[in-house]
Amino acid sequence: MPAPDRPPLSLTERRKAATQQEIALAAARLFAEHGAEATTAEDIARTSGVSLRTFYRYFRTKEDAVAPLLAEGSRRWVALLAATSPGTPPLTALLDSARAALAPAPGHPAESLAWTRGLLRAMPDDPALRDVWHRVHHDAETALHPVLARLAGLDAEGLDARLLTAAANTAMRVAVETWAAGDAPPADAADLAGAAFRRLAGPLLPPA
């Protein structure tokens, strides 16, 4: 059965999300320009035009501030999968949703992926940023699980559904990390994700 529609966000929730995104973009810019170690929460708050008190209302640490930016693609991907028409082959759904989630679009500019690339490149030297990235993908896997189990016609509590979800989530993460390590344009991130998903085709994920 199709995923249930979510109620629209309230004005307060939309404003909160917009503020979090502005702070995330400011943090990403500062980390790219000066490094995370040299950037303070005060710097991020000032650059994003909020008070330090407001910053800490939304984020526990300066590294946490980039979580909304890093999570943006995963949220879009899961939402697009959830909106997939019943009967769509799972591999087709994964390919189409990944391409749409990673492609620049209104409200999802190419600059967001560019900042993500910079953050991923900084992670080998920053354990706190790595922790944020892996937490983002843990949360994405939790959200992805019931959606992908439904699309694949699998028991959500069963081993097959859990394996498929973990593999698909890891494929998306590895594709984005591989793209970030090079100099390819944003569209290539979607191509890499598609190649990763095709490699999963087999007993758990029939070819499209």
Side-chain angles (χ1 to χ4, degrees):
M1 57 181 292
D5 291 335
R6 294 183 178 181
L9 295 177
S10 67
L11 179 60
T12 299
E13 290 171 327
R14 292 198 301 273
R15 285 176 174 168
K16 178 179 178 180
T19 300
Q20 288 178 318
Q21 194 68 10
E22 284 298 317
I23 295 172
L25 287 170
R29 293 188 193 103
L30 290 171
F31 289 172
E33 292 169 5
H34 308 292
E37 186 174 348
T39 300
T40 66
E42 289 88 345
D43 295 332
I44 298 170
R46 182 172 58 254
T47 302
S48 57
V50 301
S51 68
L52 187 60
R53 180 178 180 180
T54 297
F55 175 90
Y56 280 118
R57 186 183 306 150
Y58 291 124
F59 302 108
R60 184 173 56 86
T61 68
K62 63 182 182 181
E63 290 85 6
D64 284 340
V66 298
L69 179 61
L70 293 175
E72 181 180 356
S74 295
R75 286 196 301 267
R76 283 167 52 83
W77 177 41
V78 175
L80 287 161
L81 273 173
T84 300
S85 300
T88 302
L91 180 55
T92 298
L94 285 168
L95 293 170
D96 291 348
S97 60
R99 182 165 296 282
L102 292 171
H108 180 69
E111 287 81 358
S112 292
L113 267 178
W115 291 124
T116 297
R117 168 178 269 161
L119 290 169
L120 290 176
R121 287 180 172 180
M123 281 180 193
D125 300 318
D126 195 315
L129 279 179
R130 286 203 305 273
D131 288 345
V132 172
W133 177 239
H134 288 292
R135 187 168 71 247
V136 162
H137 275 275
H138 176 274
D139 293 344
E141 187 168 322
T142 299
L144 176 65
H145 179 70
V147 173
L148 194 50
R150 174 182 59 82
L151 285 171
L154 297 171
D155 175 8
E157 301 302 319
L159 179 63
D160 284 356
R162 295 184 182 280
L163 283 172
L164 178 57
T165 302
N169 188 56
T170 299
M172 181 67 117
R173 176 179 61 79
V174 170
V176 173
E177 290 174 350
T178 301
W179 167 80
D183 297 310
D188 280 27
D191 291 338
L192 283 166
F197 289 136
R198 288 188 180 94
R199 282 168 167 78
L200 296 178
L204 292 181
L205 191 60

